[in-house]
Amino acid sequence: MPILSNASTLSKYMKLNQNGLVQAEFIWVDGFNQLRSKTKTLASKPFGPKDIADWHCSGASTGQAYVHDSDITLHPVAIYPDPFRQGDNILVLCETYDSDEAPLETNYRHRCNKTMQNYAKEDPWFGIEQEYTLVEPESKRPYGWPTFGYPEPQGMYYCGIGTGRIFGRDLIEAHYRACLYAGIKIAGVNVEVAPSQFEYQIGPCGGISMGDELWVARFLLERLAEDFGVAVSLHPKPVVEGDWNGAGCHTNYSTAAMRQDGGMCVMEEAIDKMGDRHYEHLQEYGEFNELRLIGSHETGHIDAFSYGIENRGASIRIPRQVAKDGKGYMEDRRPASNIDPYRVTRIIVESTLNPSPFF
């Protein structure tokens, strides 16, 4: 299958558009922490999101409004080149507002953006490692697993190669290239510990752009999966029974002070503040995470906060090179694969940079 979603078939149709019109794919997060999108024709290519007018949709159909007052507003906040339609066509990431122009309860970007603006001088950077599992659309069983029983035990899959061990590599490669085309800061990809489990890394991204780029990367993966006839699961424990790793969204974090000489001390102070709000963080770190954070399979236990150098069984991991250099970044290993990145990045910044853990 072509790398960019039937690109060879679509190319002849692209040549028909000689009148300067642009297809804009409006993308937003619904009331179920899922992505939605619809397309609008623009008269010309915009220079930025401010050049695109707000649009509307039925919030009653997306879990974001009631039927008697169903219109919600899609407000453009970021644009990216469209790897599917190509040319001047774009992807338009949107925030959601109600009829009174107030942000919806599910518009977590709005609050996150305020936090990032408040602490912009601290220059927070993030990198998120998005783990996910490919599954059969009907059975929800991991893609490539035998119909009955289980594949061979974990140990042969992580960063592995070979037929019978790796399932879905074409989709992973297509997604990687689609992200590059769209200008997403994708740092890399790899096969993960469980069969049919993969990971891509987004970042480093400053402030609000971390959530923006992860959501668009998720959109590209879901959209490509349609063409490959598989489904993408962000469940943190898609296979509960047996010796199988769960899926997380490990979140790497640093500030300007952490990246400078003496940054290790700054990180340790920040980690102490995060520990004080451990359970509050967990409320923002995804659903069904209690199935994943069990103190095994490279996770810390949900009821215990810990940190350590190069310890993948801790809540917070300090990479070995960071400890050696005395500066750099930390890795929060608690977030589940189904997080809203705006909620996670916001609480990390608020916890570590606010003078008091209680506000």
Side-chain angles (χ1 to χ4, degrees):
M1 179 169 288
I3 290 299
L4 287 182
S5 183
N6 300 321
S8 60
T9 303
L10 292 173
S11 62
K12 62 181 179 181
Y13 297 105
M14 298 298 299
K15 297 176 182 178
L16 298 177
N17 184 9
Q18 302 293 333
N19 54 10
L21 298 178
V22 171
Q23 288 174 283
E25 191 72 14
F26 279 58
I27 303 167
W28 70 99
V29 182
D30 67 12
F32 310 103
N33 200 42
Q34 302 293 322
L35 288 162
R36 305 281 180 133
S37 76
K38 64 175 184 172
T39 313
K40 185 176 186 179
T41 302
L42 305 182
S44 60
K45 183 179 179 180
F47 291 103
K50 293 183 179 179
D51 298 321
I52 306 173
D54 291 348
W55 204 13
H56 305 279
C57 72
S58 170
S61 300
T62 62
Q64 294 171 294
Y66 297 104
V67 174
H68 64 271
D69 187 16
S70 62
D71 276 3
I72 63 172
T73 299
L74 305 178
H75 176 66
V77 292
I79 62 174
Y80 303 86
D82 186 339
F84 304 109
R85 294 172 174 137
Q86 303 182 21
D88 287 338
N89 301 303
I90 55 175
L91 307 175
V92 182
L93 183 66
C94 301
E95 285 192 19
T96 51
Y97 292 79
D98 64 20
S99 55
D100 295 323
E101 299 184 358
L104 299 182
E105 290 184 6
T106 53
N107 181 357
Y108 295 108
R109 186 187 190 277
H110 181 78
R111 182 178 175 186
C112 179
N113 197 32
K114 284 188 174 182
T115 295
M116 297 305 171
Q117 291 174 351
N118 289 340
Y119 295 101
K121 65 179 181 179
E122 306 291 346
D123 197 18
W125 289 5
F126 299 92
I128 290 185
E129 305 166 28
Q130 174 71 72
E131 294 179 338
Y132 62 95
T133 307
L134 298 182
V135 299
E136 299 285 355
E138 295 183 1
S139 68
K140 305 303 180 183
R141 192 171 176 80
Y143 180 68
W145 283 34
T147 303
F148 303 101
Y150 297 93
E152 61 179 299
Q154 292 183 163
M156 303 300 293
Y157 306 103
Y158 177 70
C159 295
I161 62 171
T163 302
R165 293 177 181 166
I166 310 304
F167 315 101
R169 193 183 293 277
D170 284 349
L171 172 55
I172 277 61
E173 181 69 13
H175 177 246
Y176 198 159
R177 297 194 184 188
C179 285
L180 291 174
Y181 184 98
I184 300 297
K185 290 183 180 178
I186 183 168
V189 301
N190 61 269
V191 180
E192 266 302 330
V193 177
S196 299
Q197 186 185 74
F198 299 88
E199 174 185 293
Y200 58 89
Q201 303 91 32
I202 303 297
C205 297
I208 196 65
S209 66
M210 181 68 258
D212 292 351
E213 298 211 8
L214 184 63
W215 273 119
V216 175
R218 285 175 172 179
F219 171 83
L220 294 174
L221 181 60
E222 292 275 8
R223 176 64 182 78
L224 281 164
E226 294 177 14
D227 293 338
F228 284 81
V230 298
V232 178
S233 171
L234 295 184
H235 196 289
K237 198 71 172 180
V239 181
V240 177
E241 297 181 358
D243 188 25
W244 309 108
N245 273 33
C249 250
H250 303 154
T251 301
N252 300 288
Y253 168 64
S254 70
T255 62
M258 295 176 191
R259 299 188 292 270
Q260 297 171 359
D261 290 342
M264 190 67 179
C265 293
V266 180
M267 274 186 278
E268 289 175 342
E269 292 177 2
I271 290 170
D272 286 342
K273 291 181 178 180
M274 294 170 76
D276 290 338
R277 299 178 66 181
H278 174 59
Y279 290 105
E280 188 175 345
H281 276 248
L282 291 175
Q283 292 176 8
E284 308 291 328
Y285 279 12
E287 295 183 329
F288 308 110
N289 210 12
E290 70 279 2
L291 300 176
R292 170 179 161 266
L293 296 180
I294 57 176
S296 62
H297 298 120
E298 302 181 273
T299 70
H301 196 279
I302 195 168
D303 289 326
F305 180 84
S306 62
Y307 77 95
I309 297 171
E310 202 51 52
N311 184 356
R312 284 178 165 79
S315 306
I316 308 292
R317 180 181 76 95
I318 303 295
R320 188 171 302 281
Q321 190 62 45
V322 170
K324 181 178 179 181
D325 295 341
K327 60 183 177 181
Y329 68 95
M330 66 180 78
E331 178 192 39
D332 191 339
R333 297 181 59 81
R334 295 172 295 171
S337 50
N338 57 10
I339 60 166
D340 183 316
Y342 299 127
R343 298 175 67 175
V344 170
T345 55
R346 177 195 58 79
I347 196 170
I348 288 176
V349 167
E350 289 183 350
S351 291
T352 59
L353 298 180
N354 195 285
S356 170
F358 306 103
F359 59 92

